[in-house]
Amino acid sequence: HPLALGALGDFLVVFLSAIGVAEHVERLGDHLKPLLGGLAVAAAALVLVLIAIGMHLLEIMVFAVGIALLANVGNYGQLSGQFGAGFTEYFYYSAVTYTTLGFGDITPEGSLRILTAIESLTGLVMSAWTASVIFWGRSARACGSCST
């Protein structure tokens, strides 16, 4: 089913990208030490947060494109309510869904309901994962040689 494959693809792209970012954050801190001294860890953390926000926005964009394509090209449902047909409306809907805000001003119909549920679950998991990675990185730096 194209809807399920698209959602799985979205999740895999963001998940694999996030793993790559996590792998390189410590190296970034090491490269910044000669330039920034004690601020290197804080700078690396800031870069990580900015990259994470960018990745979340990319995921929202991918879902928005997918929803727009499925609503307009395929016969997989539509969005109703206070909804104009512009791409910014799809991005807005996707952002509200991904962050699980759920204002209720736009509602999905048809098979788009499934993608909406998958997007909100993906957003919840990826946001929690991002917070965990940042917390783990800060804890590991603060602890130094503590055993886990």
Side-chain angles (χ1 to χ4, degrees):
H1 196 274
L3 195 60
L5 289 176
L8 179 61
D10 289 342
F11 180 77
L12 288 176
V13 164
V14 171
F15 184 72
L16 294 174
S17 298
I19 289 173
V21 168
E23 288 283 328
H24 297 292
V25 168
E26 188 168 339
R27 291 183 190 154
L28 176 64
D30 292 340
H31 290 300
L32 292 175
K33 277 183 186 176
L35 298 171
L36 300 175
L39 295 176
V41 173
L46 176 62
V47 169
L48 172 63
V49 169
L50 293 175
I51 290 171
I53 290 170
M55 290 177 60
H56 288 297
L57 289 172
L58 175 65
E59 181 70 1
I60 290 168
M61 181 73 71
V62 169
F63 271 106
V65 168
I67 290 168
L69 287 174
L70 290 171
N72 292 309
V73 176
N75 190 15
Y76 293 99
Q78 62 184 7
L79 298 177
S80 62
Q82 299 175 358
F83 181 74
F87 184 74
T88 56
E89 296 288 324
Y90 286 104
F91 185 82
Y92 164 79
Y93 174 75
S94 184
V96 168
T97 301
Y98 186 88
T99 58
T100 66
L101 287 173
F103 290 135
D105 54 342
I106 301 172
T107 55
E109 295 176 357
S111 295
L112 288 181
R113 294 177 299 167
I114 297 167
L115 185 57
T116 296
I118 292 169
E119 182 178 8
S120 64
L121 181 61
T122 301
L124 180 67
V125 168
M126 295 308 292
S127 296
W129 183 84
T130 300
S132 297
V133 167
I134 292 170
F135 177 78
W136 173 78
R138 298 293 296 160
S139 297
R141 290 282 189 181
C143 182
S145 63
C146 297
S147 61
T148 54

